[in-house]
């Protein structure tokens, strides 16, 4: 297997995906934050577009008035999209709204991943250990950062996101040794 970029196959690139990084900013912290941001932002974009495709398919099939749909689709018999501007007057306005909202959601996912990854790395380097305490602090701060990007933020929502972020991150850290 050659490491020359001109002769490496797509399969070779996939095999070495985890071993190499997208960026080299000269410091592992910056590399880790940027790589986490880009990967999560891509996942966020895919998730946002696929969710809207689902909503569009449900709406097109005429299933929006049924009682078995998730709350995001119908509330009290009223149609409700996560991205309300997508029902624009023209296809161009709908596409612009989709791109704008997908970009916002990608930024939120990337922000969460970058902040969490950077905090866990920084805490591990400063404390010399990676344990549940690092995960709890990083999860709480990431939860606050994510809550601050929401349109309808309140004090209660920020606290709830901090507690949820800390709990999920701590549980993931504690359960990682079990599974």
């Amino acid at each position: 297997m050659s490491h020359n970029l001109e002769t490496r196959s797509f399969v070779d690139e996939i095999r070495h995906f985890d071993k190499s990084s997208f960026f080299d900013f000269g410091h592992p912290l910056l590399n880790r934050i940027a790589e986490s941001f880009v990967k999560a932002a891509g996942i966020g974009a895919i998730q946002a577009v696929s969710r809207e495709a689902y909503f569009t398919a449900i709406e097109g099939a005429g299933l929006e008035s049924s009682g078995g749909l998730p709350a995001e689709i119908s509330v009290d018999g009223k149609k409700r999209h996560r991205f309300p501007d997508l029902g624009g007057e023209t296809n161009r306005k709908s596409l612009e709204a989709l791109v704008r909202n997908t970009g916002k959601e990608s930024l939120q996912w990337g922000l969460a991943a970058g902040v969490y990854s950077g905090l866990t790395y920084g805490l591990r380097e400063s404390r010399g250990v990676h344990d549940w305490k690092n995960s709890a602090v990083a999860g709480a701060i990431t939860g606050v950062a994510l809550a601050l990007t929401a349109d309808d933020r309140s004090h209660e929502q920020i606290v709830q996101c901090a507690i949820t972020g800390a709990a999920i991150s701590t549980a993931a850290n504690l359960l990682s040794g079990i599974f």
Side-chain angles (χ1 to χ4, degrees), residues 19-164:
K19 297 176 186 173
S20 64
S21 62
F22 290 133
F23 305 103
D24 186 11
F25 292 119
H27 193 278
L29 174 64
L30 296 176
N31 296 344
R32 186 173 179 162
I33 290 171
E35 190 166 330
S36 297
F37 181 91
V38 168
K39 287 179 180 179
I43 293 168
I46 292 168
Q47 190 265 347
V49 170
S50 63
R51 182 184 55 241
E52 190 53 40
Y54 169 75
F55 288 154
T56 303
I58 292 296
E59 182 180 316
L63 298 174
E64 61 211 5
S65 61
S66 70
L69 292 177
E72 284 188 18
I73 297 175
S74 65
V75 175
D76 300 329
K78 297 178 183 176
K79 181 176 63 172
R80 191 175 141 220
H81 283 278
R82 172 142 161 100
F83 301 147
D85 298 335
L86 284 178
E89 299 164 6
T90 64
N91 288 340
R92 181 177 179 172
K93 287 186 179 182
S94 292
L95 182 63
E96 288 172 358
L98 176 66
V99 170
R100 183 176 51 251
N101 291 320
T102 300
K104 180 181 177 184
E105 191 153 330
S106 295
L107 183 65
Q108 289 173 329
W109 280 63
L111 172 74
V115 167
Y116 182 79
S117 181
L119 284 170
T120 55
Y121 179 85
L123 289 169
R124 184 182 69 224
E125 291 297 311
S126 66
R127 293 185 64 228
V129 64
H130 179 67
D131 59 1
W132 67 271
K133 296 173 191 173
N134 291 358
S135 295
V137 170
I141 294 172
T142 301
V144 168
L146 199 56
L148 291 174
T149 65
D151 292 334
D152 56 345
R153 61 182 172 262
S154 65
H155 179 266
E156 291 81 21
Q157 183 183 16
I158 293 170
V159 171
Q160 182 183 11
C161 287
I163 292 169
T164 303

Side-chain angles (χ1 to χ4, degrees), residues 131-132 135 167-179:
D131 59 1
W132 67 271
S135 295
I168 290 172
S169 179
T170 304
N173 182 279
L174 293 173
L175 294 174
S176 66
I178 295 173
F179 297 107

